[in-house]
Amino acid sequence: MTFSRNKLYLIISLACAAGYMWLYLNASNYVLFNNNTFEVCIIKHVTHIPCPSCGSTRSVLLLQNGEFLKAFTTNPLGYLISIILIMAPLWMMIDVLTKKNSLLHFYKKLETYLKIPTYNVPLLLLLILNWIWNIT
């Protein structure tokens, strides 16, 4: 799916804002309720098996607290989510200020690469390994 620059940046902005709000709510809950976070994973509630992203909120919160190894063992996807939550708003702001479309071009190139089995199959295997990691 191809987006215009404004539509892509709006979607990324809304996703980042939702992510920051979710982290804020969980950080407050994490401190108040003995280091527990909300559990809203539909897959886990229905199947009692964690999904590949289960634990990613805890992982990001642990990264914020400087607990890098514990964050990795909780869910390695927390690192990727943290990088996206930091880099995406900065990248969009730089693009807007410099009147460039580098994030849009990166997105389009990434979208093209992810349609190629040489790239998407290894990423899918990594996601499956992460899921196995979460289950065990």
Side-chain angles (χ1 to χ4, degrees):
M1 176 185 290
T2 57
F3 291 111
S4 68
R5 175 184 172 209
N6 292 341
K7 189 173 182 179
L8 176 65
Y9 290 14
L10 176 66
I11 290 169
I12 292 173
S13 297
L14 291 173
C16 285
Y20 287 127
M21 287 191 312
W22 181 250
L23 287 172
Y24 174 76
L25 289 172
N26 275 278
S28 303
N29 192 41
Y30 191 77
V31 171
L32 293 175
F33 296 106
N34 203 17
N35 299 338
N36 290 322
T37 56
F38 298 120
E39 285 200 18
V40 295
C41 181
I42 295 171
I43 294 172
K44 189 172 182 178
H45 283 286
V46 172
T47 65
H48 302 289
I49 298 171
C51 75
S53 67
C54 279
S56 57
T57 301
R58 286 189 309 270
S59 179
V60 173
L61 292 173
L62 289 165
L63 282 172
Q64 288 177 347
N65 293 327
E67 298 182 50
F68 302 109
L69 183 59
K70 195 170 181 183
F72 185 81
T73 58
T74 301
N75 191 332
L77 288 178
Y79 279 88
L80 179 63
I81 292 167
S82 295
I83 290 168
I84 292 169
L85 284 173
I86 292 168
M87 293 301 298
L90 292 174
W91 198 342
M92 286 187 299
M93 190 169 46
I94 291 168
D95 269 3
V96 168
L97 292 174
T98 61
K99 297 179 180 168
K100 293 186 178 178
N101 295 326
S102 61
L103 181 57
L104 177 64
H105 294 305
F106 173 79
Y107 171 80
K108 287 180 178 181
K109 190 175 278 192
L110 182 65
E111 187 178 46
T112 302
Y113 282 126
L114 290 178
K115 291 178 182 176
I116 301 170
T118 307
Y119 298 106
N120 65 25
V121 170
L123 289 173
L124 184 61
L125 290 173
L126 282 173
L127 189 63
I128 291 169
L129 285 173
N130 187 63
W131 196 0
I132 293 167
W133 177 274
N134 278 349
I135 292 171
T136 59

